[in-house]
Amino acid sequence: MDCLTPEVNGSAESALPELDFSEPPLGSDRRAFMMRSALATAVVVLTGRPLAAFAQTPALAPIVNVGVDPSLNVVQRTKGPVMTLIDEFYKVGPGPSSSHTIGPMRITYDFYQRASKLPQAQLDQATALRVNLFGSLSATGKGHGTERAALAGLIGMEPATTDPAFLDGLAADPTQSFKVKLGSKEIPVSLADVIYDETKGDFPHPNTMRVALLAGDKPLLEQEYYSVGGGFIEWKGYEPPKKNPPKYPYSTMAEALAHAERDNLTLAQLMMANETSISGRSEAEINAFLDKIIAAMRATVKTGLEAPTAVLPGPIKLKTKAGDVYRNALKQESPARRGIGVVSAAALAGSEENARGHLVITAPTGGSAGVMPAIVYSLGPDGAKVSDQKIREALLTAGLVGYLCKHNATLSAAEGGCQAEIGVASAMGAAALAQAQDTSNQVMANGAGAALEHHLGMTCDPVAGFVQIPCIERCAFGAVKSWTGFLMAQNEIPANRRVDLDTVITAMALTAKEMNSKYKETSEGGMAVSLVLC
């Protein structure tokens, strides 16, 4: 008898069972299933005695936004269905960071509005306005221009309508002073009123701010705020606005896919149904907003590609290269090389515009602002030439992926590293490509999962606190990985994929929890310390 063939019940039988192509039991832990499957096979080989039922371990619950205050709405909302809306998710504002630029500007603008509503008798006592930055906002805010964004909001500017030239002017002349008009009272403010405070402490969120209207040393109005990623903001005592229930409630991709299969919908159709039911707006209104985002993304790429080669602001003295990469890509005879080059150039263009502090689109963040615009560009007239309606649908499906990452993990690099920015953007891009190409819902989900999976553990380590190295090139790699994730998912048998998007999002949340704080947008580790600026 062959020494590798054990004797079973007195007779020689094949030790290796047939391969099991069935899916793991519903609700099981896939990793445990695979490990136990391997164990079962090993037992058969060694003893000839097959194991009984295995892989009944319940799936682990997602670990959500670990490391932040559980009272924050960004954490609490994960207990129910996704309620995020498309116009909350895709935001237009100045770079280079949604959490460090757009968020702080929205915060101080919110405070400006609150202060404006105080009784005139109180306002007459006011002598100063003060902003204190904590945590990551303090550690890397100078490289992000956080103080300029905070000052702009304080004097009544909003991100979507702020002229980047105003912020550039503040950088060129930081001594400028402005008058904030509150009722009949005028209060002088300058960059000196924005204070970089403690970088380490027991803050409710890594991006914490405090804004105050003062009468001497006495606060007339004071509010603590949190920039929770993607330009979303909260404050102490925050109560989310009331919304209508979604038509298709979901908190995981598995639930969204089940709704879509039952009612024979694409993920984009499911998203549109939820957008209209939650917001009360019409499809035409939502499409009009999506058209604005498409136009803004195309404009960002076009502006970045046409910009002359120059040196970006800050101490790194980094030269731009989007235009050079684009022109050289067009010279390539190989369609594949040309395609990769054009996608990379478009992503570089969007990211370089972000680094300049120009207007970009959070998708999901400012740091990842080159990825989705590159995908939209590659689908449009200069790429795959799909219709604008298909690109609208692509943005909706990409939003679904981004919503889930926000809902069950994080979009903030200060919480989770760059996997939460570039990784999520790349996953959104893969789903968008699959939707625009009319593939199945499962391919959309698989493409997103593959793209995010291969960004897990990516650190946020901006050199000198500027969103330039390694951030700009990461957008290009993220966009290319979107295409890779989509093409891989399209060319495999969808049911064979063993790692689903929900599992990868849970892994991202776990990785965020365990990641060293040096790699969470503090510029204390990785490239931020290994690259020495001369």
Side-chain angles (χ1 to χ4, degrees):
M1 182 175 68
D2 191 317
C3 63
L4 293 180
T5 307
E7 188 172 330
V8 183
N9 295 328
S11 64
E13 296 183 3
S14 172
L16 295 176
E18 292 186 4
L19 291 177
D20 180 7
F21 292 102
S22 63
E23 285 295 300
L26 187 63
S28 70
D29 180 344
R30 287 176 176 267
R31 181 178 177 83
F33 180 88
M34 295 171 71
M35 293 176 68
R36 292 183 181 213
S37 296
L39 175 61
T41 302
V43 168
V44 171
V45 171
L46 295 174
T47 69
R49 297 178 181 177
L51 285 180
F54 51 88
Q56 298 304 317
T57 305
L60 293 173
I63 294 180
V64 183
N65 287 305
V66 269
V68 298
D69 192 324
S71 68
L72 292 181
N73 181 61
V74 76
V75 178
Q76 289 183 339
R77 70 175 53 179
T78 61
K79 297 174 183 175
V82 169
M83 297 292 286
T84 308
L85 291 169
I86 206 77
D87 60 342
E88 296 171 332
F89 194 77
Y90 294 121
K91 304 184 193 73
V92 178
S97 169
S98 52
S99 61
H100 286 55
T101 310
I102 296 175
M105 192 184 298
R106 293 187 67 211
I107 282 169
T108 49
Y109 180 74
D110 178 85
F111 187 84
Y112 162 78
Q113 291 183 305
R114 293 177 188 230
S116 299
K117 296 171 184 174
L118 289 176
Q120 189 62 51
Q122 274 188 281
L123 293 175
D124 288 339
Q125 303 173 44
T127 58
L129 284 153
R130 186 180 65 206
V131 180
N132 292 75
L133 306 173
F134 301 94
S136 178
L137 292 177
S138 181
T140 64
K142 287 188 183 297
H144 292 78
T146 302
E147 77 282 6
R148 298 192 292 276
L151 182 61
L154 209 55
I155 62 179
M157 294 185 177
E158 294 185 82
T161 55
T162 296
D163 186 350
F166 172 80
L167 301 176
D168 292 343
L170 279 177
D173 181 9
T175 64
Q176 296 179 70
S177 181
F178 305 88
K179 296 287 182 66
V180 177
K181 191 172 179 61
L182 298 174
S184 60
K185 180 78 173 184
E186 288 189 339
I187 301 171
V189 293
S190 70
L191 290 176
D193 295 304
V194 182
I195 299 164
Y196 286 96
D197 215 310
E198 298 176 55
T199 59
K200 298 184 184 299
D202 188 20
F203 311 122
H205 190 277
N207 296 327
T208 294
M209 292 175 61
R210 194 174 298 132
V211 192
L213 177 67
L214 303 170
D217 292 332
K218 173 190 171 185
L220 297 172
L221 179 66
E222 189 171 33
Q223 185 64 55
E224 184 172 281
Y225 290 90
Y226 319 106
S227 180
V228 297
F232 290 89
I233 66 170
E234 295 183 24
W235 48 85
K236 197 169 187 177
Y238 175 81
E239 290 290 337
K242 299 297 182 185
K243 296 178 179 178
N244 300 321
K247 182 174 182 179
Y248 296 103
Y250 69 91
S251 59
T252 64
M253 178 58 86
E255 291 173 349
L257 290 171
H259 285 307
E261 182 177 2
R262 184 195 66 203
D263 288 1
N264 194 28
L265 301 170
T266 67
L267 291 179
Q269 290 170 331
L270 180 148
M271 282 287 288
M272 180 61 84
N274 276 5
E275 292 289 328
T276 55
S277 62
I278 294 172
S279 69
R281 293 193 295 268
S282 67
E283 288 192 17
E285 289 174 307
I286 292 164
N287 281 330
F289 173 78
L290 291 171
D291 286 342
K292 290 180 181 179
I293 295 301
I294 293 168
M297 286 184 171
R298 286 172 174 164
T300 296
V301 171
K302 185 173 185 291
T303 302
L305 290 177
E306 293 178 353
T309 301
V311 174
L312 292 171
I316 301 174
K317 308 301 180 188
L318 183 67
K319 285 189 176 180
T320 60
K321 58 186 174 185
D324 291 336
V325 172
Y326 180 68
R327 287 184 288 273
N328 289 329
L330 294 181
K331 297 174 185 176
Q332 296 292 327
E333 294 183 5
S334 164
R337 287 189 177 186
R338 186 165 57 251
I340 291 172
V342 168
V343 170
S344 299
L348 292 171
S351 194
E352 286 174 357
E353 280 295 280
N354 183 63
R356 293 183 182 101
H358 293 175
L359 292 182
V360 293
I361 303 90
T362 63
T365 67
S368 63
V371 179
M372 278 301 296
I375 298 305
V376 167
Y377 185 83
S378 70
L379 288 170
D382 296 305
K385 296 179 173 56
V386 304
S387 69
D388 279 358
Q389 175 56 29
K390 291 296 181 188
I391 297 178
R392 292 187 197 112
E393 294 169 3
L395 285 179
L396 285 169
T397 300
L400 186 153
V401 171
Y403 294 0
L404 286 172
C405 293
K406 177 178 182 291
H407 194 78
N408 294 314
T410 179
L411 302 179
S412 170
E415 284 183 66
C418 201
Q419 60 175 352
E421 296 201 30
I422 300 292
V424 174
S426 186
M428 290 169 58
L433 290 167
Q435 178 69 71
Q437 301 291 337
D438 289 326
T439 63
S440 72
N441 292 333
Q442 191 64 59
V443 169
M444 299 175 206
N446 288 355
L452 181 59
E453 179 185 354
H454 296 290
H455 284 88
L456 290 180
M458 181 173 278
T459 59
C460 182
D461 47 355
V463 174
F466 282 74
V467 188
Q468 297 179 14
I469 297 176
C471 322
I472 292 173
E473 289 186 354
R474 280 184 180 171
C475 279
F477 280 91
V480 171
K481 282 186 179 181
S482 291
W483 273 97
T484 304
F486 157 59
L487 291 170
M488 188 182 301
Q490 185 186 40
N491 289 292
E492 68 181 358
I493 298 172
N496 284 355
R497 178 161 288 274
R498 281 306 203 192
V499 184
D500 58 57
L501 177 63
D502 293 325
T503 298
V504 182
I505 294 174
T506 300
M508 182 172 71
L510 283 165
T511 306
K513 175 187 176 184
E514 296 168 356
M515 185 179 287
N516 190 299
S517 63
K518 290 181 180 180
Y519 305 114
K520 295 183 180 181
E521 209 165 359
T522 58
S523 289
E524 295 178 340
M527 289 286 288
V529 296
S530 65
L531 179 61
V532 179
L533 299 178
C534 298

